[in-house]
Amino acid sequence: MLQKSKLLIYVGRRRNLKYVTFVFVLVVVTCFVFMKSGFLHEIVPEKSVQKLPPPPKMPSSFIRNVKAQRLLPQADQKWEHSVVTRSRLYDILHKQNEYSEKVVTAIETDVLRGSYIANLNSVHRSPLRAKPNEELVPILAHPPKKASDLSVDLFFDMIFSCRGKCDHKHIIKLDFKENDIVLPTLESLNIHYRRTNEKKARASKNNVHVFLNADVLPGPGKTAKEVNIDGDKLFNAVADLMVRNKEGLLGLQLSFSLGWTIDHRACGNGYNSSLVDDMIQLVRKHQNLTDTGTQYKSLYMLD
Amino acid sequence: MRIGVVLALNARQLVRNMSPILKFLGEFDQSQILVWTGSGELPIPRRTLQTIHNFFEKEDLNDRIGFDCKVSL
């Protein structure tokens, strides 16, 4: 009798265990099915899930506006980097077909104050420092070199005097390396541009689009002390030139090309939001001079 | 006379963090960006260029991005 009752208890426990296991599995499967179907999301509010802010969206009319009122040339260009010698510039302007498969449409060069040496044959022979008491003029040279056979005057003369012969559209990106070089360079540009008016090349001189490039803010891996160009001075120099030479500059295509001084090996987040905000602030500050697509009526908008 | 604005950006630094640049392009809808590598800098891998291109293409901004970059083969 005792043995029979022990047996019944044992069988009952086994049945209970099976029953509990069955219920547990059933609950797990049911929850899984509901979660998959999204049913539980409606019942349980998502309190702890932090959603990332959505990326900034462009206005819907954005693409249409850009195509309708383009101020800048097409972004897709064939660039020739660091053009700082007379022979190299001549080849680009006059021997395009002998070059590679694609014609160079954009020329990048560095502008600084240094020695102009007319008979300098190779940039590799150019001295790093100017001689004492030597008159320093705006030249095209890549730092740390301080001498070149291509002065800014000669550069613009070659660019504009070839109009009519070499009618390719050209972007000229002038990378200013020193603060006090901006104004004399702009004066030289103005003189050569106006002079072209009197020549046959008048029709094609507007194929030149000048980018005034400078690193105006400290970027990744650099401090404020390492910024050579004051952004405000760059904008003001252009504004000053435009106010003084309204008629002469009509039709000249100018753009600001603004950047940060950087160390390309610097670690970190690259161009972060704070850096971009600083740049937006600088451009907004000089919105009267730039036309960046906002509703602001430009003081200097002459055409 | 009207003056446009181009943002000059180093390719190696840009590829680390591209989203903030969208704010600038959205703020000034006539602006462009020009991605460059410096004279003393090693060429960038082609995939870096592709990553940048794909990012801006996804945002439908590929007509506002130019490249002045040395690319390794």
Side-chain angles (χ1 to χ4, degrees):
Chain A
M1 187 69 181
L2 186 67
Q3 279 184 345
K4 198 177 179 181
S5 61
K6 275 185 180 175
L7 186 69
L8 282 172
I9 290 166
Y10 175 75
V11 170
R13 278 183 184 163
R14 284 292 298 265
R15 275 185 186 163
N16 277 346
L17 188 67
K18 277 184 183 173
Y19 176 73
V20 169
T21 310
F22 173 73
V23 170
F24 178 74
V25 171
L26 188 69
V27 168
V28 169
V29 170
T30 311
C31 285
F32 180 74
V33 170
F34 278 153
M35 279 174 73
K36 275 285 181 190
S37 64
F39 179 74
L40 282 183
H41 283 275
E42 292 172 15
I43 300 168
V44 184
E46 290 180 18
K47 282 189 285 188
S48 58
V49 180
Q50 286 190 347
K51 286 184 178 175
L52 290 171
K57 291 279 178 192
M58 301 297 162
S60 56
S61 59
F62 165 68
I63 296 296
R64 191 179 63 245
N65 286 343
V66 167
K67 283 176 182 167
Q69 325 164 7
R70 182 179 284 282
L71 290 178
L72 293 160
Q74 292 289 332
D76 181 28
Q77 303 284 339
K78 167 75 175 166
W79 283 88
E80 186 70 10
H81 204 79
S82 201
V83 179
V84 291
T85 63
R86 199 186 307 171
S87 61
R88 199 155 167 218
L89 179 63
Y90 182 86
D91 285 350
I92 292 166
L93 295 177
H94 298 280
K95 296 181 180 174
Q96 285 277 352
N97 295 334
E98 294 172 27
Y99 258 74
S100 58
E101 62 283 352
K102 203 174 170 189
V103 168
V104 172
T105 56
I107 298 166
E108 191 267 351
T109 188
D110 300 311
V111 189
L112 48 86
R113 199 175 280 278
S115 313
Y116 168 61
I117 303 171
N119 58 358
L120 193 70
N121 290 326
S122 164
V123 74
H124 300 294
R125 288 167 55 191
S126 79
L128 291 177
R129 291 173 193 277
K131 292 172 191 170
N133 302 325
E134 192 175 359
E135 189 195 358
L136 301 181
V137 293
I139 58 161
L140 304 179
H142 191 73
K145 290 191 170 131
K146 284 280 190 182
S148 171
D149 67 348
L150 193 55
S151 68
V152 165
D153 269 337
L154 184 58
F155 178 80
F156 287 131
D157 185 48
M158 287 174 74
I159 293 287
F160 287 109
S161 65
C162 88
R163 298 294 115 194
K165 298 168 203 160
C166 47
D167 285 336
H168 301 295
K169 289 186 178 180
H170 281 123
I171 292 175
I172 310 295
K173 181 181 168 188
L174 304 169
D175 189 356
F176 294 109
K177 298 294 184 192
E178 295 162 5
N179 234 343
D180 65 342
I181 211 73
V182 177
L183 205 53
T185 304
L186 291 175
E187 294 285 6
S188 176
L189 169 64
N190 185 37
I191 289 167
H192 286 91
Y193 180 78
R194 293 179 75 161
R195 199 177 285 167
T196 316
N197 240 345
E198 299 150 19
K199 294 181 179 176
K200 287 181 184 176
R202 190 183 302 166
S204 65
K205 72 173 181 177
N206 292 334
N207 283 347
V208 177
H209 192 124
V210 179
F211 280 12
L212 306 172
N213 180 80
D215 298 334
V216 292
L217 292 171
K222 295 283 182 179
T223 59
K225 285 180 185 173
E226 293 168 283
V227 179
N228 291 330
I229 304 286
D230 184 324
D232 291 326
K233 283 185 180 172
L234 177 69
F235 279 107
N236 291 339
V238 176
D240 181 50
L241 183 79
M242 289 167 76
V243 168
R244 284 190 287 116
N245 301 281
K246 282 181 182 177
E247 288 181 13
L249 280 171
L250 271 178
L252 175 62
Q253 298 174 80
L254 275 180
S255 290
F256 289 106
S257 166
L258 306 171
W260 292 262
T261 52
I262 60 123
D263 179 352
H264 65 264
R265 297 157 299 182
C267 302
N269 277 336
Y271 298 106
N272 59 40
S273 297
S274 165
L275 294 177
V276 174
D277 286 344
D278 290 345
M279 188 63 85
I280 289 173
Q281 205 175 345
L282 178 69
V283 177
R284 271 193 197 146
K285 194 172 160 188
H286 297 278
Q287 193 94 54
N288 59 340
L289 184 60
T290 59
D291 186 347
T292 43
T294 59
Q295 296 300 311
Y296 196 95
K297 187 74 180 169
S298 171
L299 290 174
Y300 300 97
M301 202 180 286
L302 304 177
D303 60 349
Chain B
M1 174 146 190
R2 297 175 296 173
I3 300 186
V5 172
V6 177
L7 205 55
L9 300 164
N10 178 267
R12 279 192 168 81
Q13 290 297 328
L14 176 63
V15 79
R16 290 168 181 268
N17 189 9
M18 292 184 274
S19 299
I21 304 302
L22 296 178
K23 190 176 177 186
F24 187 92
L25 293 173
E27 185 82 23
F28 306 114
D29 61 13
Q30 294 283 320
S31 62
Q32 286 182 3
I33 60 172
L34 174 61
V35 184
W36 55 269
T37 49
S39 299
E41 198 178 335
L42 287 172
I44 53 167
R46 188 163 292 279
R47 68 172 181 279
T48 302
L49 203 71
Q50 199 60 49
T51 305
I52 296 170
H53 184 268
N54 290 349
F55 178 83
F56 288 99
E57 189 176 43
K58 200 176 159 190
E59 300 291 334
D60 211 3
L61 294 169
N62 50 346
D63 65 333
R64 292 172 69 190
I65 179 167
F67 292 94
D68 175 17
C69 295
K70 283 180 290 181
V71 181
S72 57
L73 298 172

